[in-house]
Amino acid sequence: MVPDGGSGTGDPAHASDETADEGAALLDDLRAAIGRYVVLPSDEALTAVTLWVAASHIQPALQHAPRLAVVGPTKGCGKSRILDVLHETVSRPMMTVNTSPAVVFRIIGEDPPTLLVDEADTIFGPKAGDKEDLRGLLNAGHQRNCPAWRISGPEHKPTAFPTFAMAALAGIGDLPDTIMDRAVVLRMQKRKPGEKVAPFRSRHSVPELNALRDRLAAWLTPLRGAAHRLVPPMPVEDRAADTWEPLVIVADLAGGHWPSRARAACLAMTRTELVQDEQTTLKTRLLRDIRRVFEQQGDTEALRSHDLLAALVQDAEAPWAEYGTKGLNAYHLANLLRDFGISPANHRFENGRQAKAYARNQFLDAWARYCPDPAQPVLAADEAALASRAQGKPPTSPSGTLPIGPPGGPASPRPTR
């Protein structure tokens, strides 16, 4: 059902040439405005952001709410500036930097806001703390009809809160896979010396962008019915198709060069993420293999770069002997580890000689985050308890805090979000 807010009777198949030209020209103007204020990684990324903004104005007609993941390796890559531009152009923007999850749950309805989340790494990283509810909402809200159930009101009744809403999330480093798989991903970089952008000044920039927002609403609101019925041919499949379909719908409504431009951007950006996933998997494999080499060397304080490379390349089951053209070398190794903040340094060994080496303590944080040790099996605790009973001793309590379950039964495991 398409909510009120327009006739919902627009049909691109019967739209006049004038209407189609209006949509294509409007998207051209929006694309140019966004490109004035921020340098995006590619032309395809600029096209994607333009269509994502426009899609926010037909959210009630959509089945999926694509995320926009704005990620970069450091500060100063333009992530917050993109959110500034989005705030003035999307439908019903809602910034969620310090917003209570309870507020977000209650504000999402049939015509949802567009969530803009800065510093998203504080939600998904080790600093998440009490923001688990917001994290769960962002995970669930990609697809319509996936409500979050909460106990609410003085009578403590189970209540279903809608979660469906488009969201743009900006942060340093990749977001969790559950978000990245449902997102159009912008991998931001710092501007080169020759790359210039217009200064973003509220006095002049906001009215210009708000005028574009109002034009988008006037064009797309009457077309929500058409957008709801439209099933566009997609160049990708599965979840990527779900994520990109709203953007392609907008492009098909606009006509002109936008349908082909949208599909070209979809193909290029999804292929980029496939390559990125392969690289991420390879880097995680490298961390695990390096940990194994350190363990084989008795968890020594440091390993010479030469010795570490030799151990990696000699592993017949690993890909390192065939990496690149002549196998993994010192440059490759340093480049693969750079994103984890790991680099070689001069180290003095017991024989008094200095050499380039990797210190074990540099890897501890990356090992804990990307390839943690598998948890000890529960069977070990059960066997310890049985052994204690056999000796006539009461079983010792396991360390940590046990979940408190309902009376008369064990606690259910906490659902993963």
Side-chain angles (χ1 to χ4, degrees):
M1 181 181 69
V2 181
D4 294 338
S7 64
T9 58
D11 188 341
H14 299 91
S16 67
D17 291 340
E18 181 180 356
T19 302
D21 291 342
E22 175 191 358
L26 175 52
L27 291 183
D28 288 341
D29 291 346
L30 176 61
R31 189 178 190 274
I34 295 172
R36 280 198 298 273
Y37 291 111
V38 64
V39 175
L40 286 157
S42 64
D43 286 342
E44 291 83 4
L46 180 55
T47 295
V49 174
T50 303
L51 293 170
W52 191 89
V53 168
S56 71
H57 292 268
I58 57 169
Q59 283 192 78
L62 301 176
Q63 182 63 27
H64 291 88
R67 277 71 183 97
L68 187 68
V70 187
V71 298
T74 64
K75 296 179 180 179
C77 293
K79 299 183 295 295
S80 296
R81 180 48 41 88
I82 286 184
L83 292 187
D84 291 337
V85 174
L86 295 180
H87 188 271
E88 307 305 330
T89 51
V90 299
S91 173
R92 300 185 62 211
M94 179 181 179
M95 293 293 293
T96 60
V97 176
N98 293 313
T99 304
S100 162
V103 173
V104 180
F105 274 116
R106 285 163 176 79
I107 203 171
I108 293 177
E110 291 298 327
D111 190 7
T114 305
L115 304 178
L116 306 175
V117 184
D118 204 356
E119 300 179 2
D121 43 306
T122 64
I123 297 175
F124 299 104
K127 304 176 185 177
D130 60 354
K131 298 179 182 177
E132 282 292 324
D133 282 347
L134 184 55
R135 173 176 178 163
L137 182 151
L138 292 169
N139 278 333
H142 177 258
Q143 183 171 333
R144 190 175 290 280
N145 299 324
C146 292
W149 287 87
R150 294 291 183 272
I151 299 299
S152 180
E155 297 180 2
H156 301 285
K157 290 184 177 180
T159 305
F161 289 96
T163 62
F164 183 82
M166 290 176 63
L169 304 99
I172 295 175
D174 278 8
L175 302 173
D177 289 343
T178 52
I179 294 294
M180 300 292 276
D181 289 347
R182 294 165 172 81
V184 175
V185 181
L186 306 180
R187 297 192 175 276
M188 304 297 293
Q189 298 290 336
K190 282 195 172 185
R191 286 188 285 123
K192 297 177 183 177
E195 292 177 325
K196 304 293 183 182
V197 293
F200 188 90
R201 297 289 181 268
S202 297
R203 181 178 178 183
H204 304 289
S205 305
V206 169
E208 173 201 3
L209 296 174
N210 287 171
L212 287 168
R213 177 199 62 200
D214 295 342
R215 289 172 60 193
L216 286 170
W219 168 49
L220 288 169
T221 299
L223 294 176
R224 286 179 176 175
H228 181 68
R229 294 189 297 272
L230 196 58
V231 183
M234 297 295 297
V236 292
E237 298 178 343
D238 302 326
R239 185 167 287 162
D242 293 338
T243 296
W244 277 86
E245 185 181 65
L247 281 65
V248 173
I249 286 174
V250 170
D252 285 355
L253 291 172
H257 57 86
W258 279 96
S260 59
R261 172 176 275 182
R263 288 170 173 84
C266 174
L267 277 175
M269 295 184 70
T270 51
R271 285 171 180 166
T272 297
E273 286 309 298
L274 282 175
V275 173
Q276 185 69 28
D277 287 345
E278 291 173 359
Q279 279 292 100
T280 300
T281 302
L282 190 69
K283 291 176 182 178
T284 304
R285 169 67 186 268
L286 179 60
L287 288 174
R288 290 199 304 267
D289 287 351
I290 290 175
R291 181 171 61 189
R292 176 183 50 78
V293 174
F294 270 99
E295 289 173 350
Q296 290 174 347
Q297 298 296 323
D299 286 332
T300 183
E301 180 183 346
L303 280 173
R304 293 179 179 86
S305 300
H306 175 78
D307 295 338
L308 178 57
L309 279 167
L312 292 170
V313 171
Q314 288 170 7
D315 186 350
E317 297 181 359
W320 313 120
E322 299 176 356
Y323 187 86
T325 57
K326 297 182 180 180
L328 189 71
N329 59 32
Y331 173 79
H332 296 148
L333 182 61
N335 192 48
L336 289 170
L337 294 174
R338 184 176 295 115
D339 288 345
F340 302 113
I342 299 170
S343 59
N346 290 326
H347 184 84
R348 188 176 298 277
F349 290 87
E350 293 179 358
N351 57 13
R353 293 182 179 180
Q354 278 198 162
K356 286 287 186 182
Y358 285 90
R360 183 178 180 277
N361 61 11
Q362 276 194 302
F363 292 90
L364 298 179
D365 182 74
W367 287 338
R369 293 179 186 276
Y370 298 99
C371 49
D373 288 324
Q376 292 184 351
V378 178
L379 179 61
D382 294 340
E383 289 175 348
L386 289 172
S388 296
R389 292 192 190 102
Q391 296 173 7
K393 299 177 182 178
T396 57
S397 299
S399 60
T401 303
L402 292 175
I404 300 175
S412 300
R414 186 176 182 179
T416 301
R417 294 179 176 177

